[in-house]
């Protein structure tokens, strides 16, 4: 009964490099959400995926950011050519979906630092 | 602009005091959820309120959903240092939209 697993917990990248953040949802959950959080702030929605489909990417920056949730394997949030402003905590959540009042289960996050 | 406004943003109180955190919106939500987040961890779901006027209790925590389903409150009785954390309300718009959070510090 593992929860949402995110890795790595901490990631340091130099400006211009690529960052790959991984998220394995709760077993049986087919809905995955990515959020970004700056210190002392709430969570900002980025993208909502179901298996092999992007449902809502209204919170994703138009450039450099992409997300996928393949049929097999974890969901990946990819940030190309990182800049200092990308430094933040990135959280993944999963849910059973189907009802709006289902709670989300969050992972412990990946803290990205761009130097 | 913030769809869900939480107040206060920061709260520092002594152990044993009572407190209330508010979550307000100009929009109607079918449900609102409250989460608690500790430093270095992800948010953890505390409660979901669905019906206008609904009140739910979780030990010393009382959650209320406004009659018009636009606002919610969280009341903590006799706060303890273990209650320290970031409290987040969230409403659903196809996905969860979060307020900016209330940072609570309870001093022993």
């Amino acid at each position: 009964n593992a929860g949402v697993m995110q890795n790595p917990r901490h990631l340091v990248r130099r400006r211009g490099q690529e960052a790959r953040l991984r998220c394995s949802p709760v077993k049986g959950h087919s809905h995955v959400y990515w959020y970004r959080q700056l210190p002392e702030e709430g969570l900002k929605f980025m993208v909502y995926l179901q298996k092999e489909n992007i449902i809502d990417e209204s919170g994703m920056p138009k450039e450099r950011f992409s997300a996928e949730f393949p049929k097999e394997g974890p969901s990946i949030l990819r940030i190309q050519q990182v800049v200092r402003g990308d430094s933040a905590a990135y959280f993944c959540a999963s849910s059973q979906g189907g009802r709006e009042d289902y709670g989300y289960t969050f992972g412990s996050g990946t803290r990205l630092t761009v130097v | 602009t913030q769809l869900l406004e939480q107040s206060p943003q920061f709260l520092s109180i002594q152990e044993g005091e009572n407190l209330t955190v508010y979550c307000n919106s100009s929009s109607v939500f079918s449900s609102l959820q409250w989460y608690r987040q500790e430093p270095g961890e992800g948010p953890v779901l505390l409660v979901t309120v669905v019906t206008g006027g609904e009140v739910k209790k979780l030990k010393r925590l009382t959650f209320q959903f406004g009659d018009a389903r636009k606002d919610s409150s969280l009341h903590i009785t006799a706060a303890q240092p273990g209650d320290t954390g970031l409290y987040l309300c969230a409403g659903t718009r196809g996905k969860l939209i979060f307020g900016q959070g209330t940072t609570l510090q309870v001093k022993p």
Side-chain angles (χ1 to χ4, degrees):
Chain A
N1 278 339
V4 174
M5 304 301 292
Q6 287 189 251
N7 66 81
R9 285 294 301 266
H10 300 273
L11 183 60
V12 179
R13 284 287 178 266
R14 295 186 188 280
R15 280 178 294 172
Q17 290 186 319
E18 177 179 288
R20 277 182 176 244
L21 288 61
R22 293 175 188 77
C23 168
S24 296
V26 172
K27 190 175 180 182
H29 285 188
S30 59
H31 298 246
V32 165
Y33 312 82
W34 285 92
Y35 287 82
R36 176 172 138 146
Q37 185 177 38
L38 294 172
E40 304 293 335
E41 290 190 8
L43 284 81
K44 301 294 185 191
F45 169 78
M46 298 183 74
V47 63
Y48 165 25
L49 309 105
Q50 284 182 273
K51 280 290 187 182
E52 300 184 275
N53 292 305
I54 295 175
I55 307 302
D56 182 343
E57 57 181 350
S58 58
M60 287 276 272
K62 293 284 186 279
E63 296 175 351
R64 302 188 297 109
F65 285 71
S66 62
E68 62 177 9
F69 188 17
K71 189 176 179 181
E72 301 292 336
S75 175
I76 305 286
L77 178 67
R78 183 179 175 211
I79 311 173
Q80 294 178 288
Q81 299 175 324
V82 296
V83 300
R84 289 230 171 100
D86 297 332
S87 295
Y90 292 83
F91 289 94
C92 169
S94 72
S95 77
Q96 295 176 10
R99 281 180 53 172
E100 288 202 337
D101 58 343
Y102 279 155
Y104 289 9
T105 302
F106 280 85
S108 297
T110 293
R111 277 137 195 90
L112 173 65
T113 302
V114 180
V115 296
Chain B
T1 55
Q2 195 77 27
L3 191 59
L4 284 167
E5 293 281 349
Q6 284 188 242
S7 61
Q9 282 191 269
F10 300 97
L11 194 53
S12 182
I13 61 172
Q14 292 295 135
E15 182 176 0
E17 292 184 10
N18 301 332
L19 67 116
T20 302
V21 176
Y22 299 94
C23 175
N24 296 300
S25 176
S26 57
S27 302
V28 174
F29 287 93
S30 57
S31 65
L32 275 180
Q33 300 178 357
W34 285 91
Y35 289 78
R36 178 165 168 261
Q37 184 180 20
E38 296 193 36
E41 296 298 328
V44 175
L45 178 66
L46 295 174
V47 78
T48 301
V49 285
V50 179
T51 307
E54 181 177 6
V55 176
K56 281 191 174 178
K57 289 183 183 290
L58 191 66
K59 296 183 180 178
R60 293 176 293 101
L61 278 60
T62 302
F63 303 85
Q64 186 159 9
F65 200 10
D67 291 340
R69 292 186 288 132
K70 290 182 180 180
D71 55 85
S72 182
S73 64
L74 157 60
H75 182 80
I76 301 179
T77 304
Q80 298 176 3
D83 295 327
T84 293
L86 178 66
Y87 289 82
L88 297 155
C89 69
T92 308
R93 281 279 184 271
K95 68 273 185 180
L96 277 184
I97 304 296
F98 284 85
Q100 75 272 47
T102 295
T103 299
L104 172 64
Q105 181 187 44
V106 183
K107 297 182 231 178

